[in-house]
Amino acid sequence: MAGQFRDQPDIDHADMAGEFLAACRDLPAWAICEAASDFLAGRVDNHTGQFMPTCAEFAKRARAIMMPFLSERAALRTEASKLIERATDDHKRHLVEMERQDPGVRSRVAALAEAVTAGALKRQALPHLGLNVAEQKRIDALKRPRQEISKLEQTKIVKGRS
């Protein structure tokens, strides 16, 4: 690229090459080639095409070229991890289903359940706790008295019928 673009005044080519090397150290060769091709072909916005690009502009363009590939790789990696997790879950589900169908496992689980609940009270429906008459009268005495007036006579339906 140095031979294609005009030199900027007071530039030391060795220092500039060192800065380009430092800026592009982590970039693959194909991205650097594509960025150089874009600068030489004039496909980079905000670049006049007269002078050498700065090392920061060049590295930024190379990273922008790499971005779709890195995004797709990250998406594929995420999808692959989901597939692996789903396959692991399916395998575990299959093993559990096989164990549940084994009669030996069923009898062992029943024996464990019986051993755990041995001596414990059996589950039953809650019995109706009826109150004796004295307790019922005491509770009724605490209740607030209510007027037992039906408001059915005040509704539109009942008024309309009469």
Side-chain angles (χ1 to χ4, degrees):
M1 280 189 353
Q4 301 293 324
F5 293 115
R6 293 182 4 193
D7 286 335
Q8 294 185 7
D10 299 329
I11 293 291
D12 182 16
H13 290 285
D15 286 342
M16 189 173 196
E19 293 301 321
F20 266 90
L21 183 64
C24 300
R25 186 175 310 272
D26 60 335
L27 298 172
W30 65 267
I32 294 171
C33 289
E34 288 293 321
S37 173
D38 286 350
F39 274 104
L40 289 173
R43 292 187 294 254
V44 179
D45 296 335
N46 298 329
H47 186 259
T48 61
Q50 292 183 9
F51 296 102
M52 269 296 274
T54 63
C55 54
E57 287 175 329
F58 187 79
K60 183 178 178 181
R61 179 63 182 182
R63 284 186 177 82
I65 291 169
M66 287 177 49
M67 191 56 62
F69 298 103
L70 295 176
S71 298
E72 184 177 352
R73 184 176 70 180
L76 289 173
R77 185 175 291 145
T78 302
E79 187 63 30
S81 68
K82 287 180 183 177
L83 286 173
I84 290 170
E85 183 179 337
R86 199 174 305 139
T88 305
D89 289 346
D90 286 343
H91 179 69
K92 286 179 184 177
R93 213 173 284 119
H94 180 68
L95 290 176
V96 167
E97 187 61 34
M98 284 176 37
E99 280 191 15
R100 284 185 179 164
Q101 292 176 359
D102 185 11
V105 172
R106 284 182 174 214
S107 62
R108 188 176 41 157
V109 169
L112 281 172
E114 197 173 309
V116 168
T117 58
L121 294 174
K122 302 247 181 196
R123 280 209 294 173
Q124 298 175 357
L126 291 174
H128 176 67
L129 299 174
L131 299 175
N132 61 22
V133 178
E135 288 180 14
Q136 187 64 46
K137 283 183 182 179
R138 188 178 59 84
I139 290 173
D140 288 343
L142 295 173
K143 289 182 182 176
R144 188 183 304 174
R146 293 176 27 184
Q147 294 178 348
E148 305 234 358
I149 299 173
S150 173
K151 294 187 178 182
L152 280 175
E153 306 299 328
Q154 300 172 5
T155 62
K156 292 179 184 178
I157 296 173
V158 174
K159 283 183 180 178
R161 286 184 186 166
S162 42

